[in-house]
Amino acid sequence: MNSKSCETAGTDPKALYICGPTASGKSALALEMARELDGEIVNADAFQLYRGLEIVSAAPSPDERSQVPHHLYGVLAPTEAADAGSYMRMAKPVIAEIQRRGKTPIVTGGSGLYLKFLTHGPAPLPAGEPELRAQLDARPLDDLVDELTRLDPVEAARTALQNRRFVSRALEICLLTGKQASTLRDQWETQTREISASLHGLVIQRSRPELHARIAARTRAMLEGGAIEEVAALTEVSPNCEKAIGFREIRSLLVGETDRGTCEELINAATRQYAKRQETWFRREKWLSVR
RNA sequence: GGCCCGAUAGCUCAGUUGGUAGAGCAGCGGAUUGAAAAUCCGCGUGUCCCUGGUUCGAAUCCGGGUCGGGCCA
């Protein structure tokens, strides 16, 4: 077992983070660590926050949840919106409360940006505004790039200008604050460095063939285990929820646009691609030790 | 058995009048602080079915095979 995790036992229990790509076995490891460290599990998965999405999001089963206290699973209605900031504000008090009781928070999940907010705090930036975003979405990308370049050339130079999301967000910050996104972001970059040194967590690493096999097995189990019925039952969802891998694919199966085999393969491919992005993300989090 | 069509990347396919091949998807690598299971960027990975021939040169033209599909018996 990992010796590093026991160092702080007895005093103020530090949170243990368990990260890794989807289907790598985070939930199982979390249970194991919770038993070993007298811990409680806190969700760090953007989609397992939602109620009614348990199967598609591969949330821990009722049986698993009965073994150890689990927090922040199924706490949002499918119609509710969420983002990294709102997640952080939900999770911080939960974690503090667990620590107050002398238990170890085992923060478990694969949503890199959500975890990053939790561990390193928010930059001094405004939250997104749906109305402004809708306005920006209606404009051509070139137009947004021009305006960003005018308002904040430094930020424009370091932004991937083909990425509408990134351009739009940078511009949004400038418009909302009247300041330059680049200077606000620089402040956060510097404050963030010392934080990493005080964190501890594990990132699960598996070989590609093994991970891909686990993904295929899990997709099969989901489809046979009620995922189709689950999606059929979700009549009203937020645009957030609609992005869940499996949601769109099962919807098109339900209306007869695809067959079962194609649906399964599309879910597998999307999941593999997501897992790869997660690996890239966590590889950059040097404070995580590889497990 | 006869005739016809097809065989090119992991998959589906494109390939001009002969000049050793390229798209989509998959895959691989990367970026990424309030949409992140999102969004975006980069990379072609090849016994062109086999074999003999024509040609300076064949994925491409000709002969013979093999496999798959279709039609006629």
Side-chain angles (χ1 to χ4, degrees):
Chain A
M1 208 43 57
N2 193 297
S3 59
K4 205 179 164 189
S5 350
C6 304
E7 281 165 16
T8 52
T11 57
D12 180 30
K14 276 176 73 175
L16 174 68
Y17 294 87
I18 295 181
C19 313
T22 186
S24 61
K26 295 185 291 296
S27 299
L29 178 60
L31 274 181
E32 193 183 320
M33 298 310 288
R35 281 194 214 98
E36 186 187 331
L37 302 171
D38 188 23
E40 300 190 8
I41 295 171
V42 180
N43 174 36
D45 182 293
F47 287 81
Q48 291 174 8
L49 291 170
Y50 287 101
R51 238 181 341 269
L53 213 63
E54 286 83 2
I55 299 169
V56 163
S57 68
S61 67
D63 174 56
E64 289 173 305
R65 291 173 64 167
S66 70
Q67 297 176 38
V68 164
H70 280 61
H71 303 270
L72 294 181
Y73 289 90
V75 292
L76 296 178
T79 48
E80 285 179 275
D83 62 36
S86 66
Y87 166 73
M88 178 198 69
R89 287 187 293 276
M90 279 193 286
K92 279 198 161 167
V94 170
I95 290 167
E97 211 273 317
I98 293 169
Q99 289 171 319
R100 206 170 302 129
R101 292 200 312 269
K103 308 280 188 181
T104 303
I106 313 283
V107 184
T108 308
S111 297
L113 184 65
Y114 282 29
L115 278 157
K116 188 78 178 185
F117 265 68
L118 193 53
T119 54
H120 292 76
L125 302 172
E129 273 193 6
E131 309 79 40
L132 179 54
R133 285 183 178 183
Q135 285 174 34
L136 296 178
D137 281 350
R139 293 166 56 185
L141 178 59
D142 288 349
D143 198 23
L144 303 182
V145 169
D146 286 348
E147 186 167 3
L148 179 62
T149 307
R150 202 164 56 244
L151 294 176
D152 189 349
V154 175
E155 188 67 9
R158 51 163 89 143
T159 301
L161 297 176
Q162 310 93 321
N163 192 333
R164 173 173 265 281
R165 283 278 172 90
F166 287 7
V167 173
S168 175
R169 172 59 182 159
L171 185 53
E172 177 183 60
I173 294 167
C174 296
L175 294 173
L176 251 29
T177 61
K179 296 176 189 161
Q180 295 198 317
S182 52
T183 44
L184 296 170
R185 277 186 168 150
D186 284 345
Q187 290 171 27
W188 175 75
E189 290 285 348
T190 48
Q191 93 190 14
T192 205
R193 288 191 195 113
E194 311 86 68
I195 296 174
S196 292
S198 67
L199 297 167
H200 72 296
L202 307 171
V203 56
I204 302 178
Q205 214 169 64
R206 292 184 188 272
S207 73
R208 276 299 160 81
E210 188 188 7
L211 188 62
H212 287 186
R214 290 177 64 101
I215 287 170
R218 195 184 64 183
T219 303
R220 175 67 56 88
M222 270 180 195
L223 289 172
E224 285 169 0
I228 297 166
E229 294 73 14
E230 183 175 85
V231 170
L234 284 170
T235 46
E236 270 186 60
V237 293
S238 65
N240 224 20
C241 264
E242 265 175 1
K243 292 179 308 201
I245 291 173
F247 185 86
R248 202 158 286 164
E249 293 85 350
I250 291 174
R251 272 272 167 100
S252 82
L253 175 67
L254 285 168
V255 300
E257 281 169 10
T258 47
D259 58 274
R260 168 68 182 253
T262 307
C263 172
E264 185 168 337
E265 186 39 43
L266 288 175
I267 293 174
N268 278 331
T271 308
R272 290 193 295 263
Q273 291 163 350
Y274 171 49
K276 221 193 70 55
R277 278 177 265 132
Q278 288 176 300
E279 286 182 338
T280 303
W281 182 289
F282 292 125
R283 207 172 287 143
R284 301 205 311 166
E285 298 294 331
K286 304 292 187 205
W287 56 277
L288 289 167
S289 29
V290 172
R291 164 96 180 195

